[in-house]
Amino acid sequence: NTEGIFRVTGSDKNIRTLELHMSQSNYLYLQTVTTPHTVTNYWKRVLAHMKEPLIPFNFYCHFEKIGEMTHENADHQEQSIRQVLRLNIKFLLNALPEINFKTLKFHVEFFRDVVSHEPINKMTAYNMAVTVGPNIFRPQRNTKKDILNVGIFYDLLIKMI
């Protein structure tokens, strides 16, 4: 219920200190953290620096294709087309490695909870997608197309939330 959660930057010094304690399995240190911005920025940093993102590299292009189809005619899609796209997204999610699926599911449920407090924290599904989406959907190598298509991944995460 903190305004700007996930958007406001925490103190880099505090984030690095938290990172050090977490790397040493000193989880009790979390009880001393006084601002949620430190924790959310640490969380985003962990996601950004994972060897492979929650949506594995070999799934990126498949989600991109579905996102492009969803994005192309968003205003003119019939209910049946939207349903097919939702089923394709669900199929891909279920095809993820189990650990990725369960971790992504946990994140999405948490994001839903954050968004449910939007009147207080100002975090809409779009804001959530913009702040964490690039760390969940990440190509192995960035291209111009990836930069131009970033919105399709926001839309996919919004649909999940």
Side-chain angles (χ1 to χ4, degrees), residues 27-159:
Y27 305 118
L28 290 175
Y29 179 78
L30 280 168
Q31 295 176 354
T32 69
V33 176
T34 58
T35 172
H37 303 300
T38 299
V39 177
T40 57
N41 279 254
Y42 168 72
W43 191 352
K44 289 191 304 186
R45 188 177 287 185
V46 167
L47 287 173
H49 292 102
M50 289 171 53
K51 187 175 181 180
E52 188 155 9
L54 286 179
I55 300 296
F57 294 128
N58 60 325
F59 280 78
Y60 181 86
C61 64
H62 301 296
F63 278 97
E64 183 177 43
K65 284 184 191 339
I66 290 175
E68 287 171 348
M69 288 187 290
T70 303
H71 209 68
E72 281 174 0
N73 301 307
D75 296 333
H76 300 91
Q77 288 177 358
E78 295 178 22
Q79 180 68 23
S80 59
I81 294 172
R82 286 194 300 268
Q83 183 64 24
V84 167
L85 292 171
R86 273 194 295 272
L87 288 172
N88 282 328
I89 293 169
K90 190 173 184 175
F91 174 80
L92 275 177
L93 290 172
N94 287 322
L96 291 172
E98 184 178 7
I99 189 72
N100 294 64
F101 176 79
K102 287 182 175 181
T103 306
L104 180 63
K105 183 179 179 197
F106 171 84
H107 279 78
V108 168
E109 288 170 359
F110 176 71
F111 299 154
R112 282 184 194 137
D113 186 48
V114 171
V115 168
S116 75
H117 299 282
E118 185 266 334
I120 297 165
N121 64 28
K122 310 297 187 224
M123 286 303 289
T124 63
Y126 176 80
N127 290 341
M128 204 75 227
V130 169
T131 57
V132 298
N135 298 325
I136 292 174
F137 293 99
R138 187 166 30 102
Q140 202 154 10
R141 288 179 190 78
N142 274 318
T143 66
K144 287 181 185 178
K145 181 181 178 190
D146 295 314
I147 294 166
L148 294 172
N149 282 346
V150 72
I152 66 171
F153 295 103
Y154 297 163
D155 291 344
L156 287 170
L157 189 54
I158 289 166
K159 283 176 182 22

